[in-house]
């Protein structure tokens, strides 16, 4: 029974990450911010400083998703671990944009989402995203 419950929580965390991807890919800043706890922190891929709180996270995604060349993200790998009402999903994703027809710029990046389970489900309390080093 315990293993089944843990597997369900892992699936729920993957679904929360998929909801983040869907909101990012549709540039729905309000939906993105709703996936974070009010006091969450974000190390954005292009941010030189730690962003604290829903208002700052909203401003970051307004800039990131409001660009003329709307970026999209796709998960390449993820590894979920659940620790009671806290979970971590770490992995890699690709951030893409199309600056011109037939041209796609791809930025490989890595991520860690830390989630906390509450009445509204799994919400992000800490999100780190950084460019992957070239190999």
């Amino acid at each position: 029974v315990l293993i089944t419950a843990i597997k369900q929580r892992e699936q729920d965390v993957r679904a929360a990450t998929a909801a983040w991807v869907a909101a990012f890919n549709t540039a729905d800043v309000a939906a993105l911010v709703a996936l974070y706890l009010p006091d969450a922190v974000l190390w954005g891929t292009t941010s030189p400083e730690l962003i604290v709180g829903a208002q700052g996270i909203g401003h970051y995604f307004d800039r990131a998703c409001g660009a003329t060349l709307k970026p999209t993200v796709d998960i390449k790998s993820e590894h979920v671990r659940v620790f009671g009402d806290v979970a971590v999903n770490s992995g890699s994703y690709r951030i893409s944009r199309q600056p011109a027809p037939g041209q796609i710029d791809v930025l490989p990046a890595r991520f860690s989402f830390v989630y906390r389970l509450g009445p509204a489900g799994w919400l992000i309390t800490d999100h780190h995203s950084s460019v992957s080093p070239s190999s």
Side-chain angles (χ1 to χ4, degrees):
V1 174
L2 180 60
I3 292 174
T4 302
I6 291 171
K7 293 290 183 196
Q8 182 60 54
R9 284 187 170 198
E10 288 174 0
Q11 289 175 355
D12 293 343
V13 170
R14 281 189 180 81
T17 304
W20 182 91
V21 169
F24 186 89
N25 287 346
T26 58
D28 188 339
V29 174
L32 278 165
V33 172
L35 298 172
Y36 290 80
L37 287 166
D39 62 345
V41 296
L42 167 65
W43 274 115
T45 313
T46 60
S47 178
E49 59 190 44
L50 182 66
I51 300 161
V52 179
Q55 184 177 6
I57 291 168
H59 289 310
Y60 175 80
F61 285 119
D62 274 335
R63 287 189 306 276
C65 296
T68 304
L69 308 171
K70 302 242 183 280
T72 59
V73 67
D74 63 291
I75 303 283
K76 301 314 293 174
S77 68
E78 61 184 327
H79 181 73
V80 175
R81 283 105 47 227
V82 176
F83 310 98
D85 65 350
V86 173
V88 180
N89 189 0
S90 301
S92 63
Y93 44 37
R94 293 184 322 172
I95 303 167
S96 304
R97 64 187 186 108
Q98 187 172 6
Q103 180 184 355
I104 297 177
D105 290 341
V106 176
L107 181 66
R110 52 198 172 179
F111 67 84
S112 293
F113 288 103
V114 179
Y115 292 93
R116 200 165 62 206
L117 181 61
W122 290 100
L123 296 178
I124 301 164
T125 189
D126 193 301
H127 175 190
H128 177 265
S129 178
S130 58
V131 176
S132 295
S134 56
S135 43

